[in-house]
Amino acid sequence: MTERCLIAALYGSLALCALRAPAQAPGYDQPYRPQVHFSPRQHWTNDPNGLVYFDHEYHLFFQYNPFGDEWGHMSWGHAVSPDLLHWRELPVAIPEENGVMIFTGSVVVDHANTSGLCSEGQSCLIAIYTGASKTPEGGRQTQNIAYSRDDGRTWTKYEKNPVLDLQLADFRDPSVQWDADARRWVMAVSLPKEHRVSFYASPDLKQWRHLSDFGPEGDTAGDWECPDLLRVPAWQGHESLWALKVGLNPGAPQGGSGEQYFLGSFDGARFVASKDRGSHGWTNYGKDDYCAISFNGLPADQPPVLMGWMSNWQYAAKLPTSPWRGQMSLPRRVSFLRDGAGLALRQEPVIDPLHEQSSALSGTAASALLAGNGLAAVAPYELDLDFGHTSEEVFGIRLYSDAQHWTEVGFDTKHREFYIDRSNSGIRISPDFPGRTVAPLAEGRPYDLRLIVDRSSIEAYAQEDTIAMTDLIFPPSTNDRIRLFVSPAQPAKISGRLWKLKSIWEKGPSAH
Ligand code: FRU
């Protein structure tokens, strides 16, 4: 029973309450259960897999343990959505079998039946995944395919698997797309210990030929995992660039798992990183966004959409949630920006369809926010703030769930940093959890901030969406008192808007 229903029940008006309370899909209302992010109804998840848009439906496959809330028995879970936000979980798509776990990979739409695995004259979905098995020598990872002729509902593993085997213990996470110019499939796949992404080409998804290698380059402190190659349009303008993103674990600058990107060119066979300022950065400057991949099958005139796993291998097994463990980031439309500060990847979260009531915060509302008890908000909510080009030294916002627990999000213009500080946010699930994550501030870009606060996370987008920072939090309550701060104290010129967000698990007319 929700708090509102309980109060209504005490006053004998339960019928009224039942009428008014939003219909929540059962099983999605526990403490810390994300309300605007996907999480499986029960059990463990890590990386998103096989993101694809096909026949008016978005598919999210995900690393999944069908038997428990810890990593193991890796299989592909499955969910579908009409709009990238409202997800409906379906049965396991590709299960572990005969000791071969189904690791991360991608799904493509085989429009022309190049594989010969679709029904005559039909398109079908083909999954390309890493099969991981134990061997006396320590393990073997190979690339494999499976096909579905019924919109991803049932899958058959290809009888002649594997399709690519280098006899290696570490060789994983194939990301495949159609190259319309060369009329062939291209795969980016990781050699984690060598800090290399290998590119392969195939006419039919079965035979693969090595094209080139990228790396070691950029940050090589940990294993390279989950590569993805994206054609990225300019935010404003007609130019396009290629982005190669690759996960790094452990050893990312924020600790544990992180993801770097390279902007550059791809000629169909080789990726070359640009030397321009800003061409190397981090897709996320927080601690909790890993192994993001982009959707295949989107209309050609749409920018790529990235989605990641909202956790970190340092403490993923310790999240205090039940009966599930793990969630996905919001989907984000990707573009790039080129300005006086150089190049940067931009990520705009897909969230607007969940906007409910909003209140403007400007003039007196902003001063009310600064004073007294602050403004009340209950997760999930979004807060859009514009601090303009102010010269104050440190400014930002504190989200208090009680007097001892808060999360601070701010701009420190003296040290040229944007940050989230979750040191006092709530449950400290591991020694690696509390702390501050930082991103460098770019010269000349405005101090705008968009925060999406869910029951157990904060996603921040700042400086025209060139900084994305995602951090999990486990506060004692989801009722925040929000207070702006400026230091040294000066009259602040701040405007903004607070949006209440609809839960994706509420059954509205467009929900499922
Ligand atoms: C990254 C990763 C992948 C692998 C999967 C296994 O989080 O280690 O490299 O395919 O998880 O679950």
Side-chain angles (χ1 to χ4, degrees):
M1 197 181 290
T2 63
E3 201 179 334
R4 212 163 63 180
C5 288
L6 189 63
I7 294 165
L10 288 175
Y11 289 90
S13 54
L14 194 58
L16 185 71
C17 149
L19 276 179
R20 286 209 186 136
Q24 191 93 8
Y28 293 98
D29 200 21
Q30 302 88 348
Y32 302 133
R33 173 68 87 171
Q35 296 299 301
V36 297
H37 297 89
F38 172 80
S39 57
R41 181 185 294 266
Q42 57 174 355
H43 300 327
W44 167 275
T45 188
N46 53 286
D47 316 350
N49 298 154
L51 302 182
V52 68
Y53 181 64
F54 180 57
D55 204 10
H56 308 288
E57 209 173 42
Y58 295 93
H59 294 261
L60 159 63
F61 300 90
F62 48 91
Q63 285 289 282
Y64 187 58
N65 179 355
F67 305 106
D69 62 5
E70 289 176 354
W71 189 90
H73 299 290
M74 296 322 291
S75 302
W76 278 22
H78 189 195
V80 289
S81 168
D83 61 0
L84 286 168
L85 290 166
H86 296 89
W87 295 100
R88 182 160 56 91
E89 194 173 334
L90 297 176
V92 168
I94 312 183
E96 170 197 42
E97 218 174 352
N98 304 327
V100 181
M101 291 200 276
I102 315 298
F103 274 17
T104 285
S106 55
V107 167
V108 295
V109 182
D110 188 4
H111 283 294
N113 195 8
T114 60
S115 63
L117 296 171
C118 310
S119 305
E120 195 65 25
Q122 304 280 312
S123 38
C124 69
L125 294 177
I126 310 280
I128 307 94
Y129 62 89
T130 298
S133 41
K134 290 207 170 68
T135 60
E137 308 81 57
R140 172 75 62 85
Q141 297 183 347
T142 61
Q143 313 323 320
N144 300 264
I145 60 177
Y147 56 94
S148 169
R149 297 172 178 166
D150 58 358
D151 299 337
R153 273 28 181 203
T154 60
W155 291 83
T156 308
K157 291 173 186 139
Y158 176 51
E159 56 184 14
K160 295 192 187 138
N161 277 334
V163 293
L164 186 56
D165 182 1
L166 303 186
Q167 320 254 319
L168 289 174
D170 287 283
F171 176 45
R172 59 179 177 270
D173 306 339
S175 168
V176 177
Q177 59 187 288
W178 176 247
D179 178 343
D181 299 328
R183 301 202 53 75
R184 63 184 186 187
W185 302 99
V186 174
M187 177 197 291
V189 58
S190 188
L191 292 162
K193 305 287 178 202
E194 298 167 32
H195 315 298
R196 278 198 282 153
V197 175
S198 279
F199 291 96
Y200 287 82
S202 171
D204 58 4
L205 297 160
K206 295 170 176 165
Q207 294 158 282
W208 293 93
R209 184 169 60 84
H210 183 249
L211 293 173
S212 66
D213 279 354
F214 174 80
E217 224 172 293
D219 205 317
T220 55
D223 282 8
W224 276 24
E225 302 181 311
C226 305
D228 197 22
L229 177 71
L230 307 88
R231 185 197 284 272
V232 182
W235 177 32
Q236 287 150 339
H238 299 291
E239 200 190 346
S240 72
L241 278 178
W242 287 88
L244 179 65
K245 66 130 286 263
V246 59
L248 183 77
N249 180 68
Q254 314 286 19
S257 329
E259 297 212 275
Q260 58 188 326
Y261 67 79
F262 302 88
L263 290 167
S265 59
F266 182 70
D267 63 3
R270 183 175 294 276
F271 177 82
V272 179
S274 157
K275 299 270 177 279
D276 291 354
R277 190 149 61 110
S279 55
H280 177 241
W282 295 85
T283 54
N284 199 288
Y285 289 86
K287 280 193 83 157
D288 298 304
D289 189 356
Y290 193 56
C291 278
I293 54 166
S294 58
F295 277 82
N296 272 320
L298 294 180
D301 60 347
Q302 284 189 22
V305 176
L306 264 185
M307 199 169 177
W309 171 46
M310 211 196 267
S311 199
N312 188 311
W313 282 115
Q314 276 184 335
Y315 43 68
K318 298 188 181 148
L319 306 192
T321 60
S322 177
W324 83 101
R325 195 172 273 137
Q327 57 177 297
M328 300 302 157
S329 73
L330 283 174
R332 297 162 309 218
R333 295 191 205 284
V334 184
S335 58
F336 76 89
L337 170 72
R338 194 194 290 275
D339 62 9
L343 281 169
L345 199 73
R346 296 183 69 252
Q347 297 174 77
E348 266 178 63
V350 177
I351 190 73
D352 291 3
L354 300 180
H355 283 167
E356 232 169 20
Q357 308 97 314
S358 75
S359 27
L361 317 170
S362 65
T364 52
S367 11
L369 259 177
L370 285 161
N373 250 341
L375 185 87
V378 182
Y381 63 87
E382 174 182 331
L383 194 58
D384 300 344
L385 292 170
D386 194 349
F387 297 89
H389 282 88
T390 178
S391 59
E392 323 296 346
E393 282 184 357
V394 191
F395 48 88
I397 188 144
R398 267 194 185 186
L399 318 174
Y400 284 87
S401 45
D402 62 32
Q404 284 79 42
H405 297 100
W406 67 85
T407 307
E408 187 171 301
V409 185
F411 295 87
D412 181 340
T413 58
K414 195 164 163 201
H415 299 100
R416 310 267 349 123
E417 275 175 359
F418 172 74
Y419 66 91
I420 295 182
D421 189 338
R422 66 176 176 190
S423 309
N424 294 306
S425 60
I427 308 178
R428 299 169 175 217
I429 55 172
S430 107
D432 294 315
F433 191 79
R436 200 166 170 270
T437 57
V438 298
L441 283 176
E443 209 63 61
R445 291 185 194 142
Y447 301 124
D448 58 85
L449 172 61
R450 168 134 61 149
L451 280 184
I452 290 130
V453 182
D454 204 340
R455 288 188 185 170
S456 50
S457 64
I458 295 194
E459 286 198 64
Y461 298 86
Q463 291 214 296
E464 296 182 315
D465 293 325
T466 57
I467 297 173
M469 192 178 279
T470 304
D471 286 308
L472 291 172
I473 48 168
F474 298 101
S477 102
T478 50
N479 302 343
D480 290 321
R481 311 292 308 185
I482 301 170
R483 272 188 237 171
L484 294 170
F485 65 89
V486 180
S487 129
Q490 283 179 28
K493 305 158 229 77
I494 299 159
S495 63
R497 187 166 283 277
L498 177 75
W499 294 92
K500 186 173 161 25
L501 297 174
K502 274 185 276 212
S503 167
I504 61 172
W505 307 117
E506 256 172 48
K507 288 213 178 99
S510 63
H512 295 291

